[in-house]
Amino acid sequence: MKISAAESVVMEALWRESPLTSEAIMSQVCGPQDWTEGTVKVLISRLVKKKAVTAKADGRRYLYSPLLSRRDYVQGESQGLLDRLFDGRLAPLVMHLSEGDKLSDQDIAELKALVERIGK
Amino acid sequence: MKISAAESVVMEALWRESPLTSEAIMSQVCGPQDWTEGTVKVLISRLVKKKAVTAKADGRRYLYSPLLSRRDYVQGESQGLLDRLFDGRLAPLVMHLSEGDKLSDQDIAELKALVERIGK
DNA sequence: CGAGATCGATGACAACTGTCAACCATAGAT
DNA sequence: ATCTATGGTTGACAGTTGTCATCGATCTCG
């Protein structure tokens, strides 16, 4: 099942740390997102329904944990973009981003090191 | 304005070649997408309304051309993903994709060459 | 036991998306 | 002058998303 943008904000909180109570999730996301309690509750419910999150009963509340790993999510999103826009080829993606001119020297250095490592 | 997935299929046709009549667009996208005439017509209209496409009158029909460049679109999508999932850092993205193990030797070679070029 | 405080579930609603069909205007054909 | 084919505009409808408020069960404190 597909995870929406708003839902992914909740997932990020759970990937950072889990399990979490809904209260803890809210305290993490309500600030930056300016959401009310109700909004976050619904996002959590939808994620549970989508089986991206499990709810373990803990007394009267639930403890939520991700079922979908960040790794898998990120992999899917990245590969999807790559396939959709660059015919699955990595070099054109990197080229585009480097032309956007937002790469720091550090980015380039890291990338260089990484490519060395992959290449061998 | 945001371009949806279905709309981007129409945009791809126009980026490949433009201007095009709606008929030409349909012949390009109806096959792969299994869309009916009506569907494509609506997608085109919505793109015009969103100002992603212009319609120049040509007798009784229109000739459509992209207003949004593929370059800008791709840039936006790519940067968006990078910011959303990798905190704007390129190396982790490349790492993820390389771990997915779907990189060909050619990909790696291209990337290596590209990084050399950027680095200097 | 009764009054609040919690927490999840449910209902609501508008905007956007994917998908079509019906309608309408007009350029050509007869 | 009329008929028809063609292409654009509208209306429609279900599903998803973003956003909230209300309801109902339950736990806890006095």
Side-chain angles (χ1 to χ4, degrees):
Chain A
M1 189 82 67
K2 186 89 185 68
I3 296 202
S4 78
E7 286 161 0
S8 80
V9 172
V10 172
M11 290 304 290
E12 289 288 353
L14 287 170
W15 283 324
R16 231 172 285 129
E17 182 190 354
S18 78
L20 290 179
T21 64
S22 64
E23 193 199 358
I25 293 175
M26 287 180 215
S27 76
Q28 280 201 47
V29 304
C30 281
Q33 298 296 324
D34 195 41
W35 283 335
T36 73
E37 247 183 54
T39 299
V40 181
K41 285 177 180 180
V42 172
L43 292 176
I44 295 174
S45 302
R46 288 180 181 167
L47 284 168
V48 171
K49 180 170 306 175
K50 288 184 182 181
K51 304 244 202 288
V53 163
T54 14
K56 241 179 291 288
D58 170 58
R60 63 250 145 253
R61 52 180 117 194
Y62 285 124
L63 291 180
Y64 299 99
S65 303
L67 268 184
L68 173 68
S69 71
R70 182 167 204 278
R71 182 174 191 70
D72 286 353
Y73 174 70
V74 164
Q75 173 67 31
E77 295 284 305
S78 306
Q79 193 68 51
L81 180 111
L82 200 63
D83 292 344
R84 213 158 38 79
L85 299 182
F86 299 98
D87 197 31
R89 305 197 18 254
L90 185 52
L93 201 211
V94 175
M95 178 135 49
H96 248 283
L97 288 169
S98 67
E99 285 170 1
D101 189 43
K102 299 190 54 175
L103 295 193
S104 64
D105 290 348
Q106 192 196 347
D107 280 329
I108 294 174
E110 285 175 355
L111 187 56
K112 201 163 181 173
L114 178 59
V115 171
E116 293 298 328
R117 194 139 50 75
I118 296 173
K120 86 159 171 33
Chain B
M1 188 85 63
K2 187 90 183 66
I3 297 204
S4 79
E7 287 162 0
S8 80
V9 173
V10 171
M11 291 303 291
E12 289 288 352
L14 288 170
W15 283 323
R16 231 173 286 130
E17 182 192 353
S18 78
L20 290 180
T21 65
S22 65
E23 193 198 357
I25 293 175
M26 286 180 215
S27 75
Q28 280 201 47
V29 304
C30 282
Q33 297 296 324
D34 195 41
W35 281 337
T36 183
E37 242 183 60
T39 300
V40 181
K41 287 178 181 181
V42 172
L43 292 177
I44 295 174
S45 301
R46 287 181 182 167
L47 284 167
V48 171
K49 181 170 305 175
K50 286 183 182 183
K51 303 245 203 286
V53 164
T54 15
K56 247 176 287 291
D58 169 58
R60 222 44 273 152
R61 42 176 139 249
Y62 284 125
L63 291 180
Y64 299 99
S65 304
L67 268 185
L68 174 67
S69 70
R70 182 166 204 278
R71 178 170 202 74
D72 285 353
Y73 174 70
V74 164
Q75 173 67 32
E77 294 285 304
S78 306
Q79 192 69 50
L81 180 111
L82 199 63
D83 292 343
R84 217 162 31 82
L85 299 182
F86 299 98
D87 197 31
R89 306 202 11 260
L90 185 53
L93 200 211
V94 175
M95 177 135 50
H96 248 282
L97 287 168
S98 67
E99 285 170 0
D101 189 43
K102 300 190 55 176
L103 296 193
S104 64
D105 289 348
Q106 192 196 346
D107 280 329
I108 294 173
E110 285 175 355
L111 187 57
K112 202 163 179 175
L114 178 59
V115 171
E116 292 299 328
R117 194 139 50 77
I118 297 173
K120 88 164 167 28

